Amino acid sequence: MCDNANPYVPYMATIEDTWYETLGDRCVKTFKVTLDDAAARDCWSHKPGQCAMVGLLGVGESMFCISCSPTEGDFLRFSIMRAGKNTQALHEQEIGDKITVRGPYGNNFPMDDWKGKHIITIGGGIGQAPLRPIVEYVKANLDQYAGLTMIYGARTSGDLCFKGEFEDMSKRDDLSCHMTIDLEEEGWNYNVGFVPTMLMDVNPSPENAIAITCGPPIMIRFVLENLKKLNFADEQIYTTLENRMKCGFGKCGRCNVGSLYVCKDGPVFSYATLKDVPEAFA
Amino acid sequence: MDSMKLSKDKLNSFVAILAEQKQLYMPQAEGETLKYSPVNAKVQPDLVFSNTAVPAKSVVFPQVETLFRYEVEKTDIKMPAGEEERVLLGVRPCDARAMSIVDNLFSWDVDDPYYLGKREKTIVVGLACQKPGVNCFCSSVGGGPASTEGLDVLLTDLGESFLVKPLTEKGEKLCQAAGEIFEEASSDDLNSAEKLHQEAAALISRSIETGGIPEKLPGLWESGIWKEVSNACLGCGICTFLCPTCHCFDIQDEIEGFEGRRCRMWDSCMFGEYTLHTSGHNPRPTRRERTRNRINHKYNYFVQKFDVIACVGCGRCISSCPVNIDIIEILQQVKEAQ
Amino acid sequence: MSEQFQPNVVAFLCNWCSYAGADLAGTSRIKYPHNLNVIRVMCSGRVNPLFVINAFQQGADGVLISGCHPGDCHYMEGNFYARRRFSLMNELLEYVGVEPGRFNMSWVSASEGAKWKDVVAGVVEKAKEAGPFDQFRRNKINW
Amino acid sequence: MVDLEKMRTIAKETVSRDDVRYLIGWRQGTYGFRVSPHFMKGPEEAEKLIFSPLCSNNLATYLTLTEKLPVPRGEQPDSRKIAVMVKGCDSRAVVQQLIEKGIERERVFVIGCPCEGVLDLKKVEEKFPGILSPVEVEWSGDKIIFTLPDGVKEVPKGEVLAKKCLSCRYPNPVMSDITLWDEVKSLGDGNYEDVKEMEEKNPQEKWSFWKDKFSSCIRCYSCRNVCPMCYCEDCVLDRLNPQWINRSANISENSAFQLARAFHLAGRCIECGECERVCPVDIPLMALNRKLAKEVREQYEFEPGLDPESKPFQSSYRPNDKEDFIL
Amino acid sequence: MNNKPKIGVYVCHCGVNISKMVDVDAVTEFASHLPNVKVVRNYSYMCSDPGQLLMREDIKNEGLNRVVVASCSPRMHEMTFRKTLAAAGLNPYFLEMANIREQCSWVHEDREDATGKAKKIVSSAVAKVRLLEALYESEVNVEPATLIIGAGIAGIQAALDIANAGFKVYLVEKSPSVGGKMSQLDKTFPTLDCSACILTPKMVDVAAHPNIELMTYSKVEEITGYVGNFQVKVRKKARYVDMDKCTSCGVCAEECRLAGRIPSEFNENMGKRSAIYLPFPQAVPAKYTIDPERCLFLTRGKCGKSPKCVDACLAGAVNFEQQDEIAEFKVGTVIVATGYDVFDAAKKPEYGYAEYENVITGLELERLVSASGPTGGDILIGKGENAFVPKEIAFIKCVGSRDKSVGNEYCSRVCCMYTAKLAHLVGEKIPDANVRVYYMDVRAFGKGFEEFYDRVRREGVRYIRGNPSEIFKRGDKLVVKVEDTLTATPLEDEVDLVVLAVGLEPRKDVREVIDLLRLSQSSDKFFLEAHPKLAPVDTATDGVFLAGCAQGPKDIPDTVAQAKGAASSALVLLSSGKVKIGAQISFVNEATCRGCGYCVDICPYGAIELVEINRMGNILSVARVNDALCKGCGACAAGCLSGSVQQRSFMDRQILPQIAVLGVMR
Ligand SMILES: Cc1cc2nc3c(=O)[nH]c(=O)nc-3n(C[C@H](O)[C@H](O)[C@H](O)COP(=O)(O)OP(=O)(O)OC[C@H]3O[C@@H](n4cnc5c(N)ncnc54)[C@H](O)[C@@H]3O)c2cc1C
Ligand SMILES: Cc1cc2nc3c(=O)[nH]c(=O)nc-3n(C[C@H](O)[C@H](O)[C@H](O)COP(=O)(O)OP(=O)(O)OC[C@H]3O[C@@H](n4cnc5c(N)ncnc54)[C@H](O)[C@@H]3O)c2cc1C
Ligand code: SF4
Ligand code: SF4
Ligand code: SF4
Ligand code: SF4
Ligand code: SF4
Ligand code: SF4
C-alpha cells in the first residue's frame, strides 16, 4: 500500500534524537526521526535533495529538506531553523515526541548522472542542510565519484551547522573541506572570508565537475558569478530553491517560479534551467 | 440520450426530485449576493441569467474544507465523512468550463482526493446564457454562452420550457431518474435553442483576440506595463477569490477545545503573505509582481502546463474589481506592448 | 433545560484595585457565584478590546472588565483608556445584537470586597438571563 | 463648478515640478460607469484626468498603500512628494493619516476638489443596466446628467447619489495645498438616522440582520485594503502568532473580523465609504463604521480627520468621558 | 533556548483553607492530564519551607522549567515562589500562580462548583505558563547629582540637605534671586520670627556651598532621559551685568534713567525700581540685573548718548553684549520645588480689588508691614499726599479658596494663620486700629496655631462669621456688605482698608514644568504625587520628586519638612548609585510597528518614543520603549492596533490561550 491514498494525510513519526547545530535567536536544531508505521517505513524512499512536510497536529506544517542521505540508515533527519510559528513549536519537541511527516517531495540531485564526476558543494548557513545529503551520499560511494570538495561558510563559527562533521572531514585527505566564517574569531583555525571569495581561493577546476550551491540569495548571486568566472558551464551548476509552499505536490499554488512548481519540478534545478526562468532568483 | 423538454410548470417537480435524491445546490440570494447554496426540495426554483457573485467552484472547492481531524496531543487522524452525491443546478457554462479547467490541476500528477471526490460526486446541470453580462468575454477564451465543457446536462430556456440536453453518462442517469416529467423535444425546439445560443453569442460585446498572448507574455517579464496596470490595484484578492478558475489555497490548523482540524481555505496570489518567507523576504514584493503573476498564471503558465488558458471570460474580476483593473485591458496592453 | 444554565463569564481584572478587591472578598469570606473566572492583568488599560471578541468566540457567555475607579489607577491613566475603549466596544456589541448584559465593565477598588461580590452576582445573573452565547461562538462551525 | 481645464493645467504644472514624483487623480474607466485611479507621471497624461460624480475612489489610500521597496545600497529613497487629488471626505483621510503619522506633510501635495457628491454605482447600474461604452456624467444642481449611448438623461441626485454623500458635512477639502474651484454647500448635516433606526431594534432583530451580512463575507479583506486608515505593516487580521482570527470563513471568524475591523477604525474612520463600496458581497460596513462614528461624535465630541494637530481619539481620553455603562 | 515546557503544578491545601472547599486530590489528578505537565503534587502548605523544598527538588531532579502554584493570591506569595524558582536555578518569571483560595475556596459554598472552578483556574495558569519567557531585571547607574527646580524655601532646603550629604546639586531659579515667596514675608506665624532673619542665612549658604551650583535667572529648557540618567539643558539668561565684576554698590540703579519708574515685583508692584535692579536688599546672589523688557537700551537700542548705568559702574560690570548661556549636565534625580502664585483677587470683582486702592491682598500687606517694604514698614494707603493710615480694617478670608465659582475647591491652608498674623502685626503698627476678620471657618490645626489664634483674639481682633457679598464705596469709606451668620444679622460695615486673604494657586507657568517632565496634575491643578499618603513626595516619574507648594498649599514648616522628605528620597537613589528596572515591561516589534505613535501618546510615563530606523534603505519611524521608564502597565499594548507593542509576561499570545481555556472549559 505504498501509494498513499490521501497525500494530505501525514505519517506519524517519533523523534529519536535531537541536538542543536547552532545557538541564538534563529538557532538550528536537528531532528532524527523514524516513521512509526512499519509499512510507511518500507514505502518511504527519498533521494538527496528531496524534502518533506514536517509538522505538529494543532500547529501546522512546513517544508524542510531531508538533511540526511538514504545511505545513512533507515531514519530521517531535518535541520530546522527557528523562524516562525511552526518552527518554534517544532523546536520545543524532544526525544520521544511525535511529529508528522509527509513526503518525500520534489525531485532530487541526479546522483546517478553525476557518477564519475567531481562534486563541489558550496553552502552558506542553513543552506548546507540540502547539501549535506549529497556530501553523505558521495562519502558513502566515494569510489564512484571523482572527488568531493566542500565549501561551507557562515557569519560566525556559532552559525555553522554540522560543524563537528566538518571538522572530522577536514582531517581526511580523500576529501577537500573548506570552512569559513565572515570575520576573524578567537580560536578559529579555519578560513576567514565570504563564501564566494573562498570559492575563488579554492579555485576548483570545472573539468568533469558539478557545483551545487545553496544559501542566502545574496551569496548565491555571487557564487554563480564566480562559478561563471571559473568557467563552469550552466549545466554544471545546480541549486535548490525554497519558496513558500503549503501542499508540496503542486496544488496550492504560490511556490511557482514561472511555470515551474518548486515542489514538483524542483527544488533541485540546474542553472541551465533556472537562468531563463523569471522570478527564479527573486 | 436525446434532448428533452421540461415544461416550466414542471420545474418545481424536477427540482424536488433532484433534491430528494441528492444534495441540490442552486444559486440563492444571501443578502444581496447570489451564491450556490444547498437547497431543499421545497425551494422555489428561480433560474435566472445573472451570474452569481461567488462562482460555482465553491461547491467543489469550498472556501474552507476540512482535510482531517484529530485530538490535541493524540496521534490518530480522523478523516471527514465521504462526499455526498450532489447536483449543481443552474450553472453558467463559463463556471462549468472553469471546473473542467481546474480538473487538470487537481488531477495533475498527484490526485487531490478532496476536490476530485467532490467533483466525481457532482452532477453539473448548466443553463445556457441568454443575457451575457457587460463584461462577459467567454467566446474570446474558447467558451461560449452555451458551451458544454464541464457540464453533465445543459438547459436552454425556450420561454415556456427548457430544452434539456444530457451531455454525459452522469447527466443521462440524472435525467432518467427524473423520468416522466420530461417531454420529447421537437426539432423545432432544437433549432430554436440553437438560434438562442447564437443570439446570445452575438450579444457578447467584449472580446479580445487571445491568440499569441501566451507566447508573448514571457518576453514582457520586465515590461513597464506591469507597473502601469497594477498601480491602482489594492491587492485585495477579489479578482482571484471570485475567479472560477483560481484554485490556490492555504492550509491551516484550527483548534477548538481539545479537538483540532487541519483545513484548507482559499488563498490569493494577490495577497502579500502568499509568497512571503518567514525571513521577511518576499519574491513577489509588490502588487506589480503579483499582478504579473496573476496574468501569467492564467495566460502563460497554465497554458504551458495544461495547454488551456485558465480564464473562462466570466468577467467577474472585471466587474468586481473596486478600482477597475480590467483583465481585457491588460491583455490588450500585452498585445500592444513592444 | 431542566438543569439550570450555568453561564461562563471571563473577567479581566487589574492587579491593583479589582484583583485586590476580589482578594479582599476572599479574605472576608464573602460568598458569590462560581461562574466567573479571572484573568489578571496589571492594568485595565492592558485589556485589548479584541480580547472581548475573542472571549465570546471561544465560549464565554459573558465578559467583565474591571479596574480602579477613575483617578485611582495605579498607573494614573490606564483605566481612562480602558473606559473609552470599552464604552465603544459595548456600543458596538449591542449594535450587532449581542444582548446587553453580556459585556460588562466595573470599577472595583481594593477595598470594595463587598462591591466585587455584587458585581459578580450581577454579571452572572445577567449572563444567566441571556442564556448560552452562541451567536458567534467558534464551536466547530462547518467542521 | 468643476473646471476640468483648470484641473488639467494644475495637474500638468504639478507633475512637472522637480519635487513631485507623480500625481494621483481619476480617469475614465474601461467600461460603463467605471472610473479608475490615474497615476500620472508626466504632463502628457493630463488629458485623461477627469472629475465627475463617478469619482468615488478615495485616492488617499494610495499614499499609504505604496510598498517601500528596498533601496539599493548607496542610493537614497525617493523623497519627492506625491500629489493627490482629494474630495472632501478624502481630504479627511489625508489629515487622519497625518495625525497617525502614516504620511509626512512635506511628502504630499494635496489638490482639493470640492465635491457635490458621488454616485452609488449599484444604483446607477440598476437604472441603466448593461452599458458598456464609457459614459460621461456631470453634476447639474440637484440633478445628475448622464450622457448615455441612447441620449442624455437627467436624474435627481437623491436617486443615485451614494448614501454617505446624502448626509455629507465635509464636501470641501478640509486641507489642501491648492483648491481647484469654489467651495460647494454641504448636502447634509451628518445625521445618523439609519444608525438610530438600527439601535431601536431588539437584539434578536439586530443579530439576525448582521448574521446574514457577516456570514456572506468572503474575507477577501478588500474593505481593509481600500481603507486609507488600514495600512499596518502586519495587520492583526493576518497574523499567525498570535492568531486572533482563524483563516476559515464562517460566522464566528467573520463576525470577529468584522467587529475587530470596525473597532480598529473607531474614531479614525472618516466615512469615505470605500470599504462598503468595494465589498463584493455588499456588506453594509458603513453601518458599523457610522455607529462608532456616531458615538465618537456625540459622546466625545470628536471627529477624526479634521485637525492635523489633534491627538488621535484612541490614544487620548478625557477625565470626564462618559461611564454610565460601568457598574 | 526554548525547551519544551515541563510544568510542575503544586496544589496547596493551605491547611484546610483550600482543601475544605476544593477537592485538592481531584485538582491534582486533573492537572496531571494538562498539556506539558510533568509533575503534580499537593501539600499542606506550599509556602512553608518543606513545600518550597519540594519544588526546588523537582525543578532539579525532574528538570522542570515552568511552575504553577495553585494556592493563594499572587499578591500574597508571588514573590516568595519567584525566589524559590530562582533558588533552584530557574528564571523566576517562569512562575504562574493559580489563585484557588481568595478567589475560589473562600468565596464558594459548593464543593463541587469550587473544585470545578479550581480546575479552570489551574488550566488557565498552565495555558499561560507554557508560553512565559525568561525575564531579567536590569539595573542602571544613578548619576550622583540632583537638579532642583525653584529656589524658594523648599528648593533651598532640599539643596542644602543633598549638598551636605556630599552630592552635587544644580539649583535652578527663574528669578534673579533665590528666596521665593518667603523672602517677601515679614514675620512668620505662629512664632513671629522675622522671615528674612531665618531665611537669609540659608540663601547665603546655598550660594556658597561647594556642592551647589546655583543658577539664578535661569530656565530649564529640556530634560530627557530617565531615572538615574536625566540629561538637562538650562538656559542662563543674560543679566547684562558681569557677575564677577558687580560689587553690588547700586550706583547704576540710582543713575538709571528709569530709576523709580518701574513697579517692583518684590514689593507686589507697590514700590518702584530701576531697569537695572536688585530685587530686594538681601537678594542672593547680590548682583544687579538689567530688565530686558524695560531697559531703554535693550528695547530701543539707545539710552541717551550712552547708557547711564554703563557710565556709572566703576567696576565696568554692565555688558550689553552678554548672551544667554546654555548649561548642559546630567543628574540622577530631579526635585520640583516651583512653588505657587497667589490667587488673582481681580477674579472676584465683587470685592473691588481692581477698583479701589484700599482693597489689598495679604501679600501686599506683608510688604507694607515689612521694614524693607515700599513704605519702610508703615501701613500707608494711597499715594503721596493722600496717603493715610487706616483705622478701621477688615480682613476677608478664603478669597479664591474653597470657592467653586473660581474653580478652587481646596483650602489654601495658610490664609487663616497669615490673617491672624497680619491682624496682629496691624495691631502692633497701628495700636488704635479696629481689626475684624470675616471668615467662614478658622482652621488652626498646626502646632501652636490655635494658641496663636487665641492670642490674636485676646488682643482685640474681632472674628465675624460671614462671607461678604459685596464691597462698595460710600464717601471715602469702603462698605463691606455681609451677613453675620451666627446672629443672622445683615451688616454694612464701613472700613478704611480691606485685606483679602488670597489663597494659593498653582503657578501660572506650571505648563512649562509639566512639559519638561510630563508630570500630572491633581484636580486642584497642583502637581500630582504618586500616592497621597504613601508617596507624597514622589511622582509617577521615577526619580522625580516634589517639594513645597508646588505639590499643594502648605506653610513653611510643612514645606521644609517635605523638602527634607524629597531630599531624602533623592538621596536614597543617589547613595545607592543604582536603580532596578522592572522586568515585566513592554517592548516593540519594530518589524510590524507602523509608527503611528498611539503608544507614545498613551504611555502615562512617557516611556515610548518614535525613533527613525533604516529598513533596507527606507527611513521609517517606529516606536521604542525606554526600559528604565516603562512601569509595565500594558496600556500601550492594548492601544496598539497592529499589536506591535507587547508587554512581557502579559503578551497577547500569552493571554489568548488563557481566554481559550476559560471559554472552552464549561
Ligand atoms: C523546499 C524547502 C526546503 C526547506 N528546507 C529547510 C530546511 O532544511 N531547514 C530550515 O530551517 N528551513 C527550511 N525551509 C524553510 C522552512 O520551510 C521555513 O523556515 C518554515 O516554513 C517557517 O515556518 P514557520 O511556521 O516557523 O514560520 P511562519 O512564518 O510562522 O510560517 C508561516 C507559513 O509560511 C510558510 N513559510 C514561511 N516561510 C517559508 C519559507 N522560507 N519557505 C517555505 N515556506 C515558508 C510555512 O508554510 C508556514 O506555514 C525550506 C523551505 C522549502 C520550501
Ligand atoms: C501672604 C502670605 C503669607 C504667608 N505667611 C506665612 C507664614 O507666616 N508662615 C508660614 O509658614 N507660611 C506662610 N506663607 C506660606 C509660604 O509662603 C509658603 O509655605 C512657602 O513660601 C512655600 O515655599 P516654596 O519654596 O514651596 O515656594 P516659593 O516660595 O513659591 O518658591 C518657589 C521658587 O521657585 C521659583 N520657580 C518657579 N517656577 C520656576 C521654574 N520653572 N524654574 C525655576 N524656578 C522657578 C520661583 O521663582 C520661586 O523662587 C504665607 C503665604 C502667603 C501668600
Ligand atoms: S480585485 Fe482589483 S484591486 Fe483587488 S486584487 Fe484584484 S486587481 Fe487588485
Ligand atoms: S470586502 Fe466584504 S467580503 Fe471582503 S472581507 Fe470585507 S466585508 Fe468581507
Ligand atoms: S473604514 Fe471605510 S469609510 Fe472608514 S475610512 Fe476606512 S474605508 Fe473609509
Ligand atoms: S484592521 Fe487594524 S490592524 Fe488591520 S490594517 Fe486596519 S488598523 Fe491595522
Ligand atoms: S501604537 Fe503600535 S504601531 Fe503605533 S507606534 Fe506604537 S507600537 Fe507602533
Ligand atoms: S507598559 Fe505602560 S509604562 Fe510601559 S511603555 Fe507601555 S504604556 Fe508605558
Side-chain angles (χ1 to χ4, degrees), chain B residues 13-24:
Chain B
S13 355
F14 180 54
V15 166
I17 294 170
L18 295 182
E20 262 153 37
Q21 295 176 355
K22 308 196 153 79
Q23 179 57 60
L24 177 63

Side-chain angles (χ1 to χ4, degrees), chain E residues 586 602-605 607-608 625 629-637 647:
Chain E
S586 289
I602 290 173
C603 179
Y605 302 97
I608 311 186
V625 176
L629 290 180
C630 173
K631 291 258 175 75
C633 65
C636 51
Q647 184 195 358

Side-chain angles (χ1 to χ4, degrees), chain B residues 40 45 60 63 84 92 102 143 148 192 200 205 215 237 259 320-321:
Chain B
N40 61 27
V60 286
Q63 179 155 10
E84 57 195 347
R92 303 245 295 188
V102 176
T148 55
S192 53
S205 37
E215 295 73 25
E259 286 174 75
S320 304
C321 176

